Amino acid sequence: REPTWEEERRLWNACFDDPECRLVMTPGKDCKSAVPGCFRMCFAAVRREALLEAVRRLKGLLAKYE
């Protein structure tokens, strides 16, 4: 939506709170990003299937995100 820190926090909350998504990512602000809307997702120690599932869930959330 809008490139603000508030909107970044709103999307971060939605990723975790939505029962069909339930992803935990680190907001860009917490990673000292200069631009709102960046997120960090650690996937180095997961199976390929788990990563594909995470992407599917995130895609589903973004499709319905308001």
Side-chain angles (χ1 to χ4, degrees), residues 1-38:
R1 297 175 117 206
E2 302 170 10
T4 64
W5 297 117
E6 293 78 18
E7 187 61 28
E8 179 182 274
R9 181 61 64 174
R10 184 172 177 256
L11 180 56
W12 178 78
N13 283 323
C15 286
F16 183 75
D17 291 339
D18 186 288
E20 296 176 13
C21 190
R22 301 291 287 176
L23 294 177
V24 177
M25 300 185 291
T26 305
K29 187 173 186 177
D30 294 349
C31 295
K32 308 296 185 218
S33 175
V35 180
C38 297

